[in-house]
């Protein structure tokens, strides 16, 4: 959600002075409450530079509707915004979430996987075309599943298996605590279609956010004293698995009412949750 506002900021503040489009594959409505919450609580977001009116919303519940949205509806939206005076040009497309389009299929036989590969190739081609023709950044939300430690039956010596390659393009290995090993969904085809893969995961640690938040953004009680947040917030991990510009890296962050907040490695407010 926070990136939908970040793109609106001027370049001097880390944005590109553009609008965004959220294309969802679920039946959920526009997340107006959360968008307004971030706008009012985030210390670097202001109504003078960011607005919910510069966040456009589209839906595509099926593969045909997704193809239609990417090939027709989104280009029309970009053109329409570019022609409106005082309107910010669309510079960011967020798809949430691509794997939802394939949940209705319970089996994963050869014919289904072949069809899914064809669809993913078509969608990725459309996204590359949009990025090139309209100069927009594209972020596609994917899903993960728990990795299983399994023995590959019939594997030959020195054979390079898909199972063994996952750690390079679709997996985050646990580093501390009880973090699970997770695999990205949609397989090898989609992994080869993206320029960068960033995985978000939860850890078994937490921190107390009152030491992190700006005092001007804290909620106030009737007595005028800052409200004390006793409950710790779960620490999450962002890992760049691969990208075309730099080496892989990771950092820890929390999600607050104001959005995403990165944590310093030496943060003393971090505790382990058993």
């Amino acid at each position: 959600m926070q990136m939908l506002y970040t793109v609106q900021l001027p370049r001097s503040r880390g944005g590109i002075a553009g609008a965004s489009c959220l294309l969802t594959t679920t039946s959920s409505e526009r997340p107006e409450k959360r968008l307004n919450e971030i706008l009012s609580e985030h210390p670097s977001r202001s109504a003078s530079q960011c607005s919910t009116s510069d966040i456009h919303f589209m839906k595509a519940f099926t593969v045909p509707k997704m193809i239609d949205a990417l090939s027709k509806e989104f280009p029309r939206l970009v053109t329409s915004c570019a022609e409106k005076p005082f309107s910010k040009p669309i510079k960011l497309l967020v798809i949430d979430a691509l794997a939802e389009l394939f949940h209705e299929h319970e089996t994963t036989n050869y014919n289904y996987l072949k069809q899914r590969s064809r669809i993913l190739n078509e969608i990725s081609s459309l996204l590359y075309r949009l990025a090139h023709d309209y100069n927009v950044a594209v972020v596609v939300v994917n899903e993960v599943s728990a990795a299983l430690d399994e023995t590959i039956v019939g594997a030959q010596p020195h054979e390079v298996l898909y199972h063994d390659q996952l750690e390079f393009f679709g997996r985050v290995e646990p580093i501390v605590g009880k973090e699970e090993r997770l695999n990205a969904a949609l397989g090898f085809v989609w992994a080869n279609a993206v320029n960068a893969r960033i995985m978000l995961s939860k850890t078994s640690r937490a921190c107390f956010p009152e030491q992190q938040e700006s005092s001007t953004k804290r909620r106030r009680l009737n007595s005028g004293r800052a409200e004390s947040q006793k409950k710790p917030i779960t620490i999450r991990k962002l890992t760049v698995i691969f990208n075309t510009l730099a080496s892989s890296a990771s950092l820890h962050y929390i999600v607050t009412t104001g959005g995403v907040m990165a944590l310093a490695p030496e943060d003393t407010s971090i505790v382990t949750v058993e």
Side-chain angles (χ1 to χ4, degrees), residues 206-233:
C207 71
F208 294 93
E210 65 267 16
Q211 299 182 27
Q212 305 287 335
E213 295 179 345
S214 169
S215 59
T216 60
K217 291 296 181 178
R218 293 177 185 173
R219 291 171 291 177
R220 298 281 173 175
L221 297 176
N222 293 332
S223 62
R225 298 173 60 187
E227 179 181 356
S228 176
Q229 296 182 344
K230 298 298 184 180
K231 294 183 179 180
I233 292 182

Side-chain angles (χ1 to χ4, degrees), residues 9-270:
L9 297 174
R11 293 184 182 276
S12 60
R13 300 191 60 186
I16 53 177
S20 59
C21 176
L22 176 61
L23 174 55
T24 179
T25 60
T26 67
S27 58
S28 59
E29 297 300 318
R30 177 184 169 96
E32 204 71 43
K33 180 179 179 181
R34 181 58 176 147
L35 291 173
N36 288 328
E37 187 178 54
I38 293 176
L39 186 59
S40 63
E41 295 291 335
H42 197 284
S44 66
R45 305 292 179 262
S46 64
S48 62
Q49 294 180 321
C50 299
S51 172
T52 56
S53 62
D54 287 317
I55 301 175
H56 304 275
F57 190 67
M58 297 172 59
K59 295 183 179 182
F61 303 146
T62 64
V63 169
K65 289 183 178 180
M66 174 62 72
I67 300 299
D68 186 70
L70 297 179
S71 60
K72 298 178 182 179
E73 293 183 43
F74 183 74
R76 283 198 296 262
L77 177 62
V78 174
T79 303
S80 175
C81 290
E83 293 175 347
K84 291 180 180 178
F86 310 110
S87 177
K88 292 180 180 178
I90 294 182
K91 292 297 182 181
L92 173 66
L93 171 62
V94 178
I95 299 178
D96 182 20
L98 187 59
E100 285 283 343
L101 297 176
F102 305 98
H103 281 177
E104 61 183 30
H105 299 277
E106 297 181 357
T107 59
T108 55
N109 56 45
Y110 173 78
N111 290 331
Y112 164 70
L113 292 177
K114 182 178 179 180
Q115 180 186 22
R116 190 183 73 172
S117 297
R118 179 189 61 78
I119 294 170
L120 290 175
N121 281 325
E122 183 176 2
I123 290 176
S124 64
S125 296
L126 287 170
L127 293 176
Y128 272 102
R129 189 181 307 166
L130 291 175
H132 177 270
D133 293 348
Y134 299 102
N135 192 28
V136 298
V138 179
V139 176
V140 181
V141 179
N142 197 3
E143 298 174 354
V144 295
S145 60
L148 301 177
D149 291 323
E150 54 184 356
T151 302
I152 307 300
V153 179
Q156 301 299 317
H158 310 297
E159 183 179 2
V160 179
L161 301 174
Y162 173 81
H163 177 270
D164 299 324
Q165 297 178 61
L166 276 172
E167 63 180 288
F168 302 109
F169 68 84
R171 174 180 294 171
V172 171
E173 296 291 345
I175 298 178
V176 294
K178 304 175 183 177
E179 288 125 309
E180 289 184 284
R181 188 174 61 188
L182 303 170
N183 290 338
L186 300 180
F188 208 19
V189 173
W190 185 248
N192 279 277
V194 299
N195 290 332
R197 167 161 281 171
I198 299 173
M199 188 171 287
L200 309 178
S201 56
K202 289 183 178 181
T203 75
S204 60
R205 297 182 300 163
C207 71
F208 294 93
E210 65 267 16
Q211 299 182 27
Q212 305 287 335
E213 295 179 345
S214 169
S215 59
T216 60
K217 291 296 181 178
R218 293 177 185 173
R219 291 171 291 177
R220 298 281 173 175
L221 297 176
N222 293 332
S223 62
R225 298 173 60 187
E227 179 181 356
S228 176
Q229 296 182 344
K230 298 298 184 180
K231 294 183 179 180
I233 292 182
T234 299
I235 294 177
R236 304 164 189 259
K237 182 171 64 177
L238 181 153
T239 304
V240 180
I241 298 180
F242 67 81
N243 72 104
T244 58
L245 299 176
S247 58
S248 299
S250 64
L251 60 81
H252 291 90
Y253 69 98
I254 58 175
V255 178
T256 68
T257 55
V260 174
M261 181 181 297
L263 298 177
E266 66 276 8
D267 199 323
T268 58
S269 64
I270 297 176

